[in-house]
Amino acid sequence: MRVTLVVPCFNEVEVLARFHDAVSRELKATSEPYEIIYVDDGSRDGTLDAILGIAAADHAVRYLSFSRNFGKESAMLAGLRHAGGDAVILMDADLQHPPELISRMLELHARGFDQVVAKRTRAGVPAGQRIAARTYYWLINRWADVELVDGVGDFRLISRRAVDGLLKLEEYNRFSKGLFAWIGFESVVFEYENVQRETGKSRWTFRKLFEYGLDGLLSFNNKPLRVAIYFGLGLTAIAVLYAIWVVGVAATQGVKMPGYVTLIAAIVGLGGIQMVMLGVIGEYIGRIYYETKHRPHYLIKESNLTPPGVVIGGAATSTYKLESRDQNRLDRLDRTD
Ligand code: UDP
Ligand code: MG
């Protein structure tokens, strides 16, 4: 069985060498043939040079480098597309995903599981974040069409057929957590102790997390649109009842002073609801807009990839690609001069 490790990297120069040593040790210990695909997601800190150094010294390393930062989802997609292994392991470069778990994953995969998922505990995470996460997952699991589990991220082993399934989902807005759940197959989840990031800092800001959360809510269902319909129906019913009551009062007791406050409250309240609903509709339209453009998920600047599944851990890859890579590097040197 061949194993492919897919590693998205964005500004990870500080840990990359250590990461590579650690995972190589683990992979060699399993005595399965393997390859490691490093996907440089447009790093600006010399990550690519570090990868080039690693690739020159280790034939099991393949890499590709994006023309700019396209995001982790795109980086994972690129890695999966080029993975030649019978089992593919997705792993972060920042050593937050313990390399020791690789053998455990392979063991579980050998027992027939198509997705082996490492679930981190929330140890060491501030209480506020923990509560926010729990609320979010409670909410999303009531809404979304797929089930998402708290603490389950992208650290997982995926079998060949599950990878092929994932690659059939070609949507532009990729929400991996949902996609993994959508494809199904036999899955098993095991827990590991959460590891704090050693160097650098997480790319997640509060805003990004919030937007990611919205993505999750919107990517896998159209229930927010339903909510608009329910709201509309409810309000219409209330308005009809209110009108009947007003007419009834006017007929029996004559017209009284109009309620100014009620009027303003109704206008502002309804205006707010309409804005929110328009926003929800706009979100979906925005998604449709991006999907219809059919843009690629990423552009590759350079790589040493052969067609997937050709050489694994073998001799150096085809030379024309190496040449174009060197040319690329020369160009870059020219520009900095
Ligand atoms: N990453 C990436 N592109 C990005 C942001 C992150 O490829 O635009 C990679 C990053 O190098 C790391 C992994 O995705 O290997 C997880 O990123 P990070 O540690 O920032 O996220 P967290 O662990 O906090 O969820
Ligand atoms: Mg991390």
Side-chain angles (χ1 to χ4, degrees):
M1 189 184 63
R2 303 177 306 178
V3 181
T4 302
L5 199 69
V6 169
V7 191
C9 311
F10 177 57
N11 295 349
E12 300 285 7
V13 70
E14 284 159 62
V15 287
L16 208 61
R18 262 193 305 144
F19 172 86
H20 185 70
D21 288 344
V23 290
S24 298
R25 208 175 317 121
E26 292 297 325
L27 284 166
K28 279 187 187 122
T30 66
S31 65
E32 307 278 4
Y34 69 89
E35 62 175 350
I36 305 177
I37 302 183
Y38 287 104
V39 184
D40 167 37
D41 185 12
S43 303
R44 289 176 285 264
D45 70 341
T47 297
L48 178 56
D49 291 318
I51 293 175
L52 291 178
I54 291 169
D58 187 342
H59 289 326
V61 172
R62 299 155 157 226
Y63 68 89
L64 43 89
S65 177
F66 288 173
S67 61
R68 65 169 171 84
N69 181 246
F70 282 92
K72 187 185 176 190
E73 293 288 349
S74 301
M76 287 193 297
L77 177 67
L80 289 176
R81 278 187 181 160
H82 292 281
D86 305 305
V88 180
I89 300 177
L90 291 171
M91 208 164 168
D92 284 2
D94 57 10
L95 287 170
Q96 278 188 299
H97 295 165
E100 310 85 76
L101 298 182
I102 290 176
S103 56
R104 179 114 158 260
M105 287 180 146
L106 288 171
E107 206 177 284
L108 285 166
H109 173 61
R111 285 198 221 157
F113 291 104
D114 284 276
Q115 292 202 60
V116 182
V117 185
K119 174 178 186 245
R120 69 171 193 279
T121 61
R122 288 218 170 247
V125 174
Q129 268 179 41
R130 261 208 310 263
I131 293 167
R134 200 161 304 149
T135 321
Y136 174 70
Y137 282 100
W138 178 80
L139 197 73
I140 203 168
N141 281 326
R142 296 195 50 162
W143 281 52
D145 303 336
V146 292
E147 203 198 326
L148 304 182
V149 185
D150 183 15
V152 162
D154 305 320
F155 185 23
R156 63 181 66 214
L157 178 150
I158 312 169
S159 71
R160 184 72 255 164
R161 58 183 181 178
V163 169
D164 291 342
L166 273 179
L167 292 179
K168 289 206 181 94
L169 308 179
E170 286 173 338
E171 57 220 78
Y172 188 78
N173 290 290
R174 295 185 81 77
F175 183 73
S176 274
K177 276 181 186 227
L179 300 180
F180 292 140
W182 189 92
I183 58 168
F185 291 111
E186 292 299 311
S187 303
V188 59
V189 178
F190 69 91
E191 280 207 345
Y192 70 97
E193 192 78 18
N194 190 22
V195 184
Q196 295 299 316
R197 193 172 237 283
E198 288 174 36
T199 54
K201 62 176 192 314
S202 172
R203 247 68 58 175
W204 290 105
T205 56
F206 179 75
R207 201 178 127 211
K208 273 197 189 164
L209 260 183
F210 188 78
E211 286 180 353
Y212 185 69
L214 266 187
D215 264 356
L217 271 178
L218 296 177
S219 296
F220 278 87
N221 67 86
N222 54 9
K223 286 194 188 113
L225 291 174
R226 274 283 152 75
V227 171
I229 295 175
Y230 290 143
F231 251 121
L233 284 176
L235 285 171
T236 312
I238 292 172
V240 167
L241 290 177
Y242 184 66
I244 292 172
W245 184 71
V246 168
V247 170
V249 170
T252 54
Q253 303 166 18
V255 181
K256 284 197 285 187
M257 279 287 285
Y260 177 73
V261 176
T262 321
L263 201 64
I264 291 295
I267 289 174
V268 172
L270 289 179
I273 292 171
Q274 282 183 16
M275 292 294 242
V276 171
M277 291 313 168
L278 267 183
V280 170
I281 295 169
E283 268 297 320
Y284 284 101
I285 294 178
R287 268 146 220 272
I288 296 168
Y289 174 66
Y290 276 109
E291 297 293 342
T292 52
K293 281 174 186 268
H294 293 297
R295 286 195 178 152
H297 293 85
Y298 52 81
L299 292 178
I300 294 176
K301 182 171 63 178
E302 58 177 281
S303 86
N304 70 344
L305 291 168
T306 48
V310 175
V311 191
I312 291 196
T317 43
S318 57
T319 44
Y320 79 93
K321 277 182 178 143
L322 288 177
E323 275 163 18
S324 70
R325 188 196 84 198
D326 291 342
Q327 188 54 49
N328 227 323
R329 280 170 59 70
L330 287 178
D331 290 347
R332 268 194 291 155
L333 287 178
D334 285 345
R335 260 186 283 129
T336 45
D337 273 339

